[in-house]
Amino acid sequence: MERHQHPAAAVASKAVRYLIVLFVIISLNFLLPRLMPGDPVMNVLGEEAYYGSPEVLEELKAEWGLDGPLYVQYFRYLGNYLKGDWGHSFLCMRPVSEAIGLHLRWTLALVLPAIILGALLAAIAGALAAWYRKSKLDIGFSATFLSFYSMPHYWLAMVLLFVFGFLLGWFPLGKVTSGDTTGLAYVVDVGWHMVLPLGLLTVSKAAYDFLVVRNSVISIYGEDYVLMAQAKGLSQMAVLFKHAVRNALAPLVTVTAIQFGAILSGTLMIEIVFSWPGMGTMIYEAIGARDYPVLQGAFFIIAVCMLVANFIADMVYVWLDPRTR
Amino acid sequence: MKELLKVTGLNVVFDTPAGRVHANRGINLMVNENETLGLMGESGCGKTVLFLSLLRLQQPGRIVSGSIVFDGRDLTKLTTSEMQQVRGRQIALVPQDHSTALNPAFTVGQQLNEALLVRDNGGGLWKTSLIGCSGRGSQAFQEEVKAVLGELALGDLVDTGRLLGRYPHQLSGGIRQRVLIAMALLGHPRMLIADEPTTALDRASRVQTLEVLNRLCERMTMLIISHDLDAIRTTCERVAVMYGGRIIETGPMLSVFRNPRHPYTRLFLSCQKFSRGDVLPEVTGDVLNLIDFPLGCSFHPRCPRAMPVCSELEPAEVHVDDTMVACHLYATGETTC
Amino acid sequence: MSKRVSVGRRLPTLIIGLILAILLAASVLPLAGCGGSEESGEDVVLKVGSTKSYKTTNKFSDYWYGILSGMTTHDSLIKLGTDMKPVPWLATAWEVSADSQQFTFTIAEDVKWHDGTPLTPEDVRFSIEYHRDKVANSAWMKDVIDNVQVDGQDVILNLKKPYGNLLTEFMTYQPIPKHIWENVDDPNTYDGEDRIVGSGPYKLESWDETAGKFTFVANEDYFQGKPNVDKLVVEVFKNMDALVMALSTGDIDTWWDYSGEFPYTHVPALIKSGDIEFASATFLGVPAALGFNFDRSPTDQLAFRQAVAKAINYTEIASLVFYSYGTVPTYGFVPSTHPNFNDSIPSLEYDTAAAASLLDSLGMTDSDSNGTRESGGQEIVLDLLVQNTATNIRCSELVKQYLEAVGIGIHIVSVDSSTWVAKKDAMEYDMVFFRATPWGTLMHAGEGSGYFDSRRTGQGVLHNLSIQEYLDACDARLNTGNADEQRVLDLQLQDLHEEYLPGLALVWIESVYPYREGWNGWVIDHIYGGVVNSFSWSTVTKAGN
Ligand SMILES: Nc1ncnc2c1ncn2[C@@H]1O[C@H](COP(=O)(O)OP(=O)(O)O)[C@@H](O)[C@H]1O
Ligand code: SF4
Ligand SMILES: [Mg+2]
């Protein structure tokens, strides 16, 4: 804030870097169906179209830009991508952009709250564990989070579904909604369906963050300003959560940005267990069906998400640590 | 004159892998209301530990024995939350290093405001969280801070509004030091303890800070650690000299400065006389290791006047005129306290 | 100036607010568009779980919805009865001319589309032509159907050539309303809301893609009478484990998968849970089969194929891979529930001594005693192409063991389904694992001939047998509509399978169909797979209702 504006040059160089990444992703996407085993025409159009009549095939080739020399195809592809025309999914039977829009929001509905709740949980637990380090509390938290951290998400998801969905019957056996509700009841219903997958993602996100927060708070614990905060007459909790945790958040944000890809892929696995109609189930099916247009779109949007996450992390980092401004 | 602080037989230790560090050994110290006491001694002799012990912030060190009676209450016996009431509001600390004592993530305004919130609402997380706080309009806060900063001769130096929006790393050392003093004053403490308030400052800032301290000592009880004899001379009524975790001489400032009795005090003052306060002069010989003590007077390996008894018996504190000295040279046969 | 401070002081409030806003937004974000329906107390509701991937309610573009609609919202002219004979449906009667070139269907009267419009023979005529002209996978009709006429309630198909399998084919074609589709040029992309209108026992009330849920309501005006179940809900799961749990807890009443087999691994747990009953029937298809490449040596030699057939321990496969729900097949390929099953063909037999002597007689001996036989100095190591499903992999490992025991080296090539199709079409294999669906065994000239006739193409078929005798038999079978002639040819086709061994059924199985206790009167449909089918709608009842 104030006179500490981000220099335009820094923003520009960041933008250029992001554009290069996107360009590389789009180019890789272009090559993907053309390098994979099998006829690229079949890869892009799907088997059904392929086994159809030759005229239809030619027509489809032209329609989806599979005719002409490779460089022409490439530039046409690039142009289409920028225009938002990401091809047609023969698996989802709709334009790729539409299919992704439909699924992406459900994935984000898990990922975004999980990141925020996970960070909150980790901040609280990590700070307490650091403050009372080597106490029973610390050992308990550390052991719990470490074991969550080392368990495969997919497996944990199955266990949760079995225990809380099946044995205890507290939560539904997957899906996002029971489907017969509207308005507020719908929101409550979705919330109820979200509990298990969101809880699992939150805890597994927190499991890693916990260690980060704990270690940063321990190192911050020795800082003079923590001593000073105590000397001011602040309570232990105020010192911990205002002064120590605040400064442990910056590494947390960095870690979150780095981990974003892992969180996303973890979510994708969990979605299949919980019949969650997000990107994971879509990608899973698309791989099975070799629906390259969908895979291309998914890779692209995931790359965009990663870049956005990095960008936000940069911003938040600067906001959290005034010294970097 | 009313006695405000009386420390008796205070022992503070740190357990380290290398062994037990005896940072404070049987400290006896008394400060009267509205008096200013200067604490001197070479680096590592336990001054900061003593200060932190007064606030019970000596962790990871432990107070193993002794009492700290402040305004009639023994601080060593208070509960954690009672102790929190003392910090900032009864005894306020101006810390040793201004460059690390402010939280880099909060603005000066936020940190000053916090001191006010602690004074008015207590130090709880919710009450000081700025969400839970109420009733402190920013106008009142502004005025109070302005007044305090004015008192610290900062009013005209910088624009208050701008200063409050700044982060610590954006300020000069002198301003940071005075922000820390302002923060201490905002708690309306009965006693201010300042740990080397002028050491890490440039000459100009030191002069200004000294003026501030000068003015403050007129109206409140203060305990100042300093190597700066000018600072001590201008502000303090009494002085205490520490060596090896003990106080080896206390007395009225003029008396000790003109006629230092303890051999260490003499050496110390003669070294300091030629210094300007920015370089720390050293008494020749090795700084005392607080883990393995020599038997007898801890100063005897370096003492020019050491006698046979000095390496056998720890000297008791004896009163000589208006001062107290712990040295065998002044032993009267009977040990007094 | 004072602004700055107050912003500073309110900052944490803003942070908390922001977090709450994001959380709220994240959970409200996907809320756009949601279905609704009202509950009425006494309705009989049947909830069916499925793990298929449904995307739209366009029966032409969505394969799985197309099948689902075929037993709910849409009717076919005839259906395959439980006795494997055609039964009347929309067509109350039909007639095949002596030369099998003219088929006449008499359409039921007083049938209405879901929108109230009467279903007329003209609709049927239109539908046949529409499929022929516009629907990609009905292209075969172009070669076969010359013209379609309407005469009163009759719809008459005049064929270009005799086509004996037309009745069977027509069991999967459902007429569509002319007034809705006549202006639709590309059925695959038509997204009008009326695309779901059929004449069947159920109307599609809603499809909630995010919830993965179809709701069908009984058609009060159904020409065969309103079905017993008032409301049919299809719940879509993404994995079988969750579906089985839902079945156990009572969230769903039964399971349905077109031509799929309910995984035996889940059966014991369901039996233990107590509330689940099972219907069972012999699976009409072949869940695991071994095919041979006739373009490569030594699989082009009949004696070698026979040796392979003798080397396999079928009983062990049936018990180990199919949990004792399997039985040993015969050389005829298709199981005994098939119409015109040839019971004179012997069962496959595990006889390693016979296998060894057959191989010896081919000059394939293990002269270097390394455990693998040689042929012309070459070690015999064959590529076995396998789609990487759990059953396939387990099964192929066993087959590898059996064949190696008689000295035939096996290299398993385990790939995903698309690679499997590509390699299979390029004939890049010596032996291949495949499966025949119930409908698949009825395709073409029947008896599984669709998989072997070298003139066919398609995703799952081998097209490896080009012996003239076999092709002629297929043609003859395709050209006759006469039941007696059909029987003779069906038996012959099975004999030819034994004689030439284009493929081996490794196992026949008993399929199990779980459903919740309290439901009674199910009919088992061999084609649609289990208890959920058009016949059950009028027979199934729920105790207490
Ligand atoms: N956290 C600590 N752990 C171990 N020893 C300590 C710690 N803090 C201070 N000490 C020891 O206490 C002694 C006194 O330190 P201090 O009070 O800081 O000296 P100074 O007089 O320079 O302020 C030093 O010898 C130091 O080694
Ligand atoms: S006691 Fe002895 S050694 Fe210690 S200061 Fe006095 S004279 Fe020196
Ligand atoms: Mg110090």
Side-chain angles (χ1 to χ4, degrees):
Chain A
M1 296 165 225
E2 262 195 307
R3 71 194 159 84
H4 302 276
Q5 282 301 323
H6 229 56
V11 174
S13 91
K14 192 167 285 173
V16 168
R17 246 181 304 146
Y18 283 7
L19 281 179
I20 291 174
V21 172
L22 284 183
F23 177 76
V24 169
I25 291 282
I26 295 180
S27 305
L28 282 178
N29 269 345
F30 171 77
L31 290 175
L32 185 71
R34 289 165 175 86
L35 291 180
M36 292 307 270
D39 188 335
V41 178
M42 178 155 111
N43 286 346
V44 175
L45 297 181
E47 269 159 25
E48 214 134 317
Y50 195 68
Y51 281 119
S53 65
E55 317 93 73
V56 176
L57 193 63
E58 282 312 310
E59 217 174 276
L60 284 171
K61 270 187 174 180
E63 191 177 344
W64 298 115
L66 291 163
D67 56 337
L70 210 60
Y71 71 91
V72 174
Q73 291 187 27
Y74 178 67
F75 285 110
R76 198 161 38 197
Y77 180 84
L78 216 59
N80 283 346
Y81 238 84
L82 297 181
K83 273 187 293 179
D85 176 1
W86 298 0
H88 189 88
S89 161
F90 53 82
L91 176 74
C92 303
M93 288 160 249
R94 46 171 72 97
V96 169
S97 47
E98 203 181 304
I100 285 179
L102 208 68
H103 290 96
L104 182 66
R105 53 186 187 176
W106 284 110
T107 294
L108 291 182
L110 284 183
V111 169
L112 295 183
I115 286 178
I116 293 166
L117 292 176
L120 272 177
L121 179 61
I124 293 170
L128 288 174
W131 202 256
Y132 300 107
R133 75 175 169 287
K134 292 182 182 154
S135 69
K136 283 206 181 95
L137 181 94
D138 179 24
I139 294 164
F141 272 150
S142 298
T144 311
F145 281 115
L146 264 176
S147 45
F148 269 117
Y149 183 62
S150 53
M151 280 185 249
H153 293 180
Y154 187 84
W155 178 80
L156 259 181
M158 289 300 290
V159 171
L160 280 187
L161 192 69
F162 184 71
V163 173
F164 294 102
F166 179 65
L167 287 184
L168 299 173
W170 294 350
F171 298 104
L173 294 161
K175 301 187 168 203
V176 280
T177 149
S178 318
D180 288 329
T181 49
T182 47
L184 187 66
Y186 177 72
V187 177
V188 171
D189 186 49
V190 170
W192 184 53
H193 281 76
M194 261 174 112
V195 172
L196 287 183
L198 181 58
L200 174 58
L201 275 174
T202 301
V203 171
S204 54
K205 160 89 176 102
Y208 189 84
D209 291 358
F210 168 80
L211 297 172
V212 173
V213 173
R214 182 179 175 274
N215 291 341
S216 340
V217 170
I218 284 177
S219 67
I220 287 166
Y221 187 74
E223 295 282 343
D224 275 357
Y225 59 77
V226 173
L227 186 77
M228 193 54 214
Q230 285 176 287
K232 265 170 139 176
L234 286 170
S235 69
Q236 295 289 306
M237 290 303 114
V239 173
L240 184 57
F241 287 107
K242 271 188 80 176
H243 289 266
V245 169
R246 171 60 206 263
N247 287 282
L249 288 182
L252 185 59
V253 168
T254 312
V255 164
T256 301
I258 295 170
Q259 275 227 309
F260 190 76
I263 299 166
L264 211 58
S265 61
T267 313
L268 305 189
M269 296 298 286
I270 287 174
E271 282 176 4
I272 294 163
V273 177
F274 288 102
S275 299
W276 193 263
M279 296 283 284
T281 33
M282 186 187 71
I283 292 174
Y284 180 73
E285 283 174 11
I287 290 173
R290 295 235 175 150
D291 188 338
Y292 283 96
V294 162
L295 292 177
Q296 290 169 318
F299 294 155
F300 179 73
I301 204 74
I302 286 174
V304 171
C305 284
M306 306 268 280
L307 291 182
V308 170
N310 265 289
F311 182 75
I312 292 175
D314 278 356
M315 294 291 127
V316 174
Y317 192 94
V318 167
W319 176 67
L320 280 177
D321 190 348
R323 282 168 299 187
T324 55
R325 279 175 216 161
Chain B
M1 254 198 283
K2 189 175 168 251
E3 188 178 277
L4 186 61
L5 174 74
K6 186 177 172 71
V7 180
T8 316
L10 184 70
N11 280 297
V12 180
V13 300
F14 291 87
D15 285 315
T16 68
R20 177 167 282 197
V21 179
H22 297 267
N24 282 182
R25 299 187 297 138
I27 300 278
N28 295 316
L29 190 68
M30 189 270 291
V31 184
N32 289 320
E33 187 130 39
N34 277 327
E35 183 183 48
T36 300
L37 178 103
L39 189 60
M40 302 183 292
E42 67 187 356
S43 199
C45 70
K47 307 182 295 291
T48 300
V49 169
L50 171 58
F51 266 27
L52 293 180
S53 300
L54 297 182
L55 294 168
R56 280 186 33 203
L57 289 174
Q58 76 291 340
Q59 289 90 355
R62 288 183 295 119
I63 298 175
V64 285
S65 60
S67 66
I68 303 167
V69 177
F70 181 82
D71 196 20
R73 286 194 301 173
D74 185 351
L75 300 187
T76 62
K77 303 248 154 54
L78 298 190
T79 63
T80 315
S81 68
E82 283 169 338
M83 197 57 219
Q84 272 165 25
Q85 316 268 328
V86 173
R87 294 179 194 140
R89 278 165 282 183
Q90 302 288 324
I91 306 175
L93 172 73
V94 176
Q96 190 166 350
D97 187 355
H98 59 74
S99 63
T100 55
L102 287 166
N103 191 327
F106 295 112
T107 61
V108 166
Q110 285 168 332
Q111 299 190 57
L112 288 174
N113 192 20
E114 190 178 58
L116 273 187
L117 290 171
V118 170
R119 186 188 79 199
D120 295 348
N121 304 338
L125 172 61
W126 182 248
K127 293 276 181 57
T128 56
S129 67
L130 310 185
I131 309 165
C133 74
S134 55
R136 278 218 68 90
S138 67
Q139 201 52 45
F141 163 67
Q142 287 268 313
E143 262 151 34
E144 184 151 5
V145 168
K146 226 176 182 139
V148 170
L149 292 177
E151 194 176 3
L152 300 185
L154 268 179
D156 347 301
L157 211 64
V158 289
D159 174 64
T160 313
R162 268 173 70 92
L163 175 69
L164 296 182
R166 291 294 180 82
Y167 287 93
H169 71 279
Q170 299 170 322
L171 305 174
S172 72
I175 306 249
R176 270 204 299 260
Q177 183 64 285
R178 267 168 287 174
V179 165
L180 282 166
I181 296 173
M183 205 153 86
L185 292 179
L186 281 172
H188 292 176
R190 310 244 340 242
M191 183 167 90
L192 193 71
I193 57 182
D195 193 349
E196 307 195 20
T198 57
T199 306
L201 296 177
D202 60 82
R203 175 170 296 275
S205 300
R206 197 164 66 234
V207 171
Q208 286 163 350
T209 307
L210 212 54
E211 277 169 21
V212 168
L213 292 175
N214 241 328
R215 239 174 298 138
L216 283 176
C217 71
E218 306 278 291
R219 65 165 173 87
M220 64 192 305
T221 316
M222 286 210 298
L223 240 164
I224 298 177
I225 296 174
S226 187
H227 303 288
D228 186 341
L229 295 190
D230 290 338
I232 304 268
R233 199 176 287 122
T234 48
T235 51
C236 299
E237 280 117 2
R238 286 199 308 129
V239 293
V241 185
M242 266 184 96
Y243 183 80
R246 284 192 79 183
I247 289 180
I248 46 103
E249 181 161 3
T250 55
M253 186 270 290
L254 281 177
S255 168
V256 173
F257 271 39
R258 286 190 189 135
N259 182 18
R261 290 177 169 86
H262 195 281
Y264 174 73
T265 315
R266 264 179 230 169
L267 273 173
F268 182 79
L269 289 178
S270 64
C271 292
Q272 305 285 325
K273 255 176 214 148
F274 306 105
S275 89
R276 312 285 342 158
D278 38 5
V279 224
L280 225 156
E282 299 275 324
V283 175
T284 50
D286 294 333
V287 175
L288 189 68
N289 170 348
L290 292 176
I291 297 178
D292 308 306
F293 288 100
L295 223 56
C297 171
S298 51
F299 187 56
H300 86 260
R302 298 160 79 184
C303 180
R305 305 184 55 182
M307 309 169 289
V309 65
C310 300
S311 56
E312 276 155 29
L313 218 64
E314 176 120 55
E317 294 179 353
V318 289
H319 289 277
V320 182
D321 302 334
D322 49 357
T323 63
M324 185 286 297
V325 194
C327 171
H328 286 303
L329 289 174
Y330 305 92
T332 52
E334 267 174 71
T335 47
T336 43
C337 247
Chain C
M1 285 300 122
S2 66
K3 281 251 168 55
R4 174 164 307 284
V5 178
S6 53
V7 167
R9 293 184 56 188
R10 276 194 231 117
L11 206 57
T13 324
L14 289 178
I15 298 169
I16 301 272
L18 200 71
I19 290 173
L20 289 178
I22 291 173
L23 285 182
L24 203 68
S27 44
V28 175
L29 198 66
L31 303 193
C34 32
S37 74
E38 66 288 343
E39 211 70 51
S40 54
E42 298 302 309
D43 280 358
V44 179
V45 181
L46 177 68
K47 291 186 174 171
V48 179
S50 170
T51 54
K52 291 305 173 202
S53 161
Y54 305 89
K55 303 292 180 192
T56 76
T57 53
N58 181 327
K59 72 196 278 296
F60 290 105
S61 62
D62 192 310
Y63 179 75
W64 297 112
Y65 180 71
I67 293 168
L68 184 59
S69 70
M71 57 183 205
T72 51
T73 56
H74 287 69
D75 290 316
S76 51
L77 294 179
I78 50 176
K79 282 186 185 281
L80 187 68
T82 47
D83 57 353
M84 302 301 292
K85 302 259 161 55
V87 295
W89 208 263
L90 271 183
T92 52
W94 60 92
E95 212 170 288
V96 185
S97 69
D99 62 356
S100 303
Q101 287 218 87
Q102 193 181 61
F103 285 72
T104 305
F105 295 97
T106 309
I107 307 302
E109 291 179 48
D110 300 325
V111 184
K112 285 203 179 88
W113 297 108
H114 293 158
D115 61 6
T117 321
L119 185 154
T120 63
E122 174 56 20
D123 282 313
V124 176
R125 190 200 61 76
F126 164 80
S127 302
I128 295 169
E129 289 186 350
Y130 191 83
H131 277 86
R132 181 190 64 189
D133 300 338
K134 305 256 165 78
V135 180
N137 65 6
S138 309
W140 63 271
M141 291 188 189
K142 285 190 181 131
D143 304 331
V144 173
I145 299 175
D146 185 40
N147 63 71
V148 188
Q149 311 286 334
V150 172
D151 178 15
Q153 282 303 114
D154 287 354
V155 175
I156 303 153
L157 281 79
N158 293 305
L159 307 190
K160 292 177 179 166
K161 56 182 185 189
Y163 189 51
N165 215 23
L166 189 113
L167 285 184
T168 312
E169 294 274 14
F170 264 46
M171 290 172 190
T172 60
Y173 285 97
Q174 295 92 27
I176 48 174
K178 181 182 180 185
H179 62 278
I180 291 172
W181 292 92
E182 62 186 338
N183 295 320
V184 176
D185 205 42
D186 182 2
N188 281 318
T189 56
Y190 180 57
D191 56 4
E193 275 180 24
D194 51 7
R195 69 183 177 185
I196 59 172
V197 171
S199 59
Y202 287 94
K203 299 180 183 179
L204 177 64
E205 185 185 72
S206 67
W207 156 236
D208 185 339
E209 189 177 356
T210 47
K213 183 174 184 169
F214 290 96
T215 309
F216 296 95
V217 289
N219 178 2
E220 303 277 346
D221 302 326
Y222 192 49
F223 79 105
Q224 297 190 354
K226 178 178 178 281
N228 288 359
V229 172
D230 299 299
K231 193 169 187 175
L232 175 67
V233 175
V234 178
E235 297 266 9
V236 186
F237 293 83
K238 297 288 181 194
N239 69 86
M240 197 66 193
D241 299 290
L243 187 148
V244 171
M245 287 184 214
L247 190 56
S248 268
T249 57
D251 287 356
I252 54 175
D253 300 305
T254 183
W255 158 87
W256 174 74
D257 250 352
Y258 168 66
S259 88
E261 300 123 50
F262 186 77
Y264 297 124
T265 39
H266 288 300
V267 173
L270 284 179
I271 291 176
K272 226 168 62 188
S273 83
D275 313 330
I276 304 297
E277 295 184 8
F278 292 89
S280 74
T282 303
F283 184 59
L284 202 57
V286 179
L290 189 65
F292 298 98
N293 187 345
F294 281 51
D295 295 347
R296 286 198 187 179
S297 178
T299 42
D300 59 345
Q301 299 175 52
L302 179 63
F304 182 82
R305 298 197 293 272
Q306 284 168 337
V308 170
K310 295 241 178 253
I312 294 170
N313 186 343
Y314 303 93
T315 327
E316 194 170 272
I317 290 179
S319 66
L320 287 187
V321 184
F322 295 91
Y323 301 87
S324 302
Y325 289 89
T327 54
V328 177
T330 70
Y331 281 94
F333 193 71
V334 290
S336 58
T337 30
H338 264 260
N340 301 332
F341 172 70
N342 189 334
D343 54 12
S344 67
I345 296 178
S347 281
L348 287 155
E349 225 179 338
Y350 176 50
D351 184 350
T352 47
S357 64
L358 273 167
L359 292 170
D360 289 342
S361 72
L362 286 168
M364 299 172 178
T365 50
D366 184 14
S367 44
D368 59 1
S369 302
N370 67 346
T372 307
R373 293 168 187 266
E374 295 90 47
S375 166
Q378 284 284 103
E379 298 271 323
I380 304 177
V381 179
L382 305 184
D383 283 344
L384 175 57
L385 181 63
V386 177
Q387 263 187 54
N388 54 6
T389 66
T391 307
N392 273 343
I393 288 169
R394 253 181 282 165
C395 207
S396 61
E397 286 295 339
L398 285 178
V399 167
K400 179 181 157 106
Q401 275 177 30
Y402 302 145
L403 294 180
E404 283 178 348
V406 297
I408 302 172
I410 292 293
H411 173 233
I412 294 180
V413 182
S414 170
V415 294
D416 67 277
S417 59
S418 345
T419 314
W420 183 87
V421 171
K423 283 185 173 288
K424 181 233 15 160
D425 279 349
M427 298 303 248
E428 283 174 21
Y429 63 88
D430 295 301
M431 292 191 281
V432 59
F433 256 67
F434 69 107
R435 77 189 287 270
T437 62
W439 188 248
T441 57
L442 299 174
M443 275 187 323
H444 193 53
E447 315 307 322
S449 60
Y451 288 94
F452 304 124
D453 186 324
S454 62
R455 298 162 300 182
R456 289 188 41 97
T457 56
Q459 285 202 30
V461 309
L462 302 186
H463 45 81
N464 56 350
L465 191 56
S466 53
I467 308 277
Q468 198 56 47
E469 190 184 359
Y470 190 70
L471 304 187
D472 290 344
C474 287
D475 286 341
R477 175 62 176 80
L478 283 167
N479 291 346
T480 180
N482 177 295
D484 294 333
E485 287 173 30
Q486 284 178 348
R487 180 176 164 74
V488 172
L489 288 162
D490 284 347
L491 296 176
Q492 191 197 348
L493 280 169
Q494 293 169 69
D495 281 333
L496 290 171
H497 290 159
E498 183 194 2
E499 192 174 337
Y500 293 109
L501 273 185
L504 279 172
L506 294 175
V507 71
W508 290 339
I509 53 166
E510 195 70 9
S511 282
V512 293
Y513 306 109
Y515 60 88
R516 282 198 77 75
E517 195 173 55
W519 290 90
N520 296 302
W522 297 104
V523 176
I524 295 182
D525 182 319
H526 299 285
I527 296 288
Y528 278 102
V531 294
V532 178
N533 59 66
S534 317
F535 300 107
S536 284
W537 303 144
S538 57
T539 57
V540 73
T541 55
K542 187 181 187 181
N545 273 90

